Amino acid sequence: MAFDITGMMGKVKELQDKMQQAQQEIQHITATGESGGGLVRATASGHRKLIKLEIDESLLTPQDREMLADLVVAAVNKALDEAAELARQELQRKTSGLMPNVPGLDLSGFGV
């Protein structure tokens, strides 16, 4: 079986196009994490950036300041983890079938 460089280059170009399209679509993905039973809610983008933070007014007292910080950290981390997973799934969907399944080939650096 001969190696088809033209076919391989076509696949690479197709993969690049799909990756670019997926990256553009990821910007519209959002995920929300909450902590404290919903007292703190953080929303992150598919590019793992915090875009919204909601804090229940009941936590805005001086004695709750330390707990508030802990709840914010927990909610933000949950949102970022969820956004990263949704982005990974979107990239995987867009590039499915374009790359050969090669054991040991790690494409995680490409977001796949």
Side-chain angles (χ1 to χ4, degrees), residues 44-62:
S45 73
H47 288 293
R48 294 174 286 215
K49 300 293 181 194
L50 181 65
I51 56 176
K52 185 176 182 180
L53 181 63
E54 300 170 73
I55 301 171
D56 189 275
E57 289 183 24
S58 68
L59 293 175
L60 300 178
T61 62

Side-chain angles (χ1 to χ4, degrees), residues 32-89:
T32 300
E34 58 180 56
S35 62
L39 294 173
V40 176
R41 293 171 48 100
T43 302
S45 73
H47 288 293
R48 294 174 286 215
K49 300 293 181 194
L50 181 65
I51 56 176
K52 185 176 182 180
L53 181 63
E54 300 170 73
I55 301 171
D56 189 275
E57 289 183 24
S58 68
L59 293 175
L60 300 178
T61 62
Q63 63 269 26
D64 291 331
R65 195 167 291 193
E66 187 175 325
M67 181 179 64
L68 175 59
D70 291 341
L71 291 173
V72 168
V73 168
V76 168
N77 284 333
K78 286 178 183 180
L80 292 173
D81 288 346
E82 179 66 17
E85 176 60 19
L86 291 172
R88 185 195 64 74
Q89 290 173 9

